[in-house]
Amino acid sequence: MVRIIGPSEIEAMLDAEEAAFDTGAPGAAATLTAFRAARRKPRLVTVNFSGGITQKCWSVTRTNGDYRVIYLPLAGYFSLCVESDFGPLDIGVHGPAIACFNSV
């Protein structure tokens, strides 16, 4: 059974990910700075998936106009979602929040 977590636990996961992020690689410090600037308190949103499926998930970054990072509670990981006329759409980029954020 999947354990659903709430906003405070998601924020703790993000804090831990930021603390462990290796800023030694070229451009990594800038990535972390940009992620921190885009980060927001988790906000409940409806995410669209292929096949017309929708799910309540947690938006953890502000949109840049094209993308945002979402926490998928039933899956237990983060996703990069593209903005659409119908709200965020999962595009299959999953994993750690900063990695999803940095994939575009």
Side-chain angles (χ1 to χ4, degrees), residues 2-101:
V2 174
R3 181 178 168 273
I4 305 298
I5 65 172
S8 61
E9 293 166 300
I10 295 167
E11 287 201 85
M13 288 171 52
L14 293 169
D15 290 342
E17 190 175 324
E18 286 182 15
F21 190 72
D22 179 10
T23 56
T31 295
L32 183 57
T33 298
F35 178 79
R36 286 177 171 156
R39 187 174 158 182
R40 65 173 314 143
K41 290 199 177 290
R43 185 177 81 174
L44 203 56
V45 296
T46 300
V47 174
N48 299 286
F49 296 86
S50 61
I53 298 168
T54 62
Q55 184 183 119
K56 293 290 184 185
C57 300
W58 297 96
S59 176
V60 299
T61 65
R62 291 170 192 80
T63 181
N64 68 0
D66 295 316
Y67 301 96
R68 69 172 120 166
V69 178
I70 305 283
Y71 180 74
L72 307 177
L74 293 179
Y77 50 69
F78 294 92
S79 172
L80 182 69
C81 289
V82 66
E83 299 298 338
S84 77
D85 290 341
F86 306 103
L89 172 66
D90 179 83
I91 58 173
V93 177
H94 302 134
I98 299 172
C100 289
F101 177 83

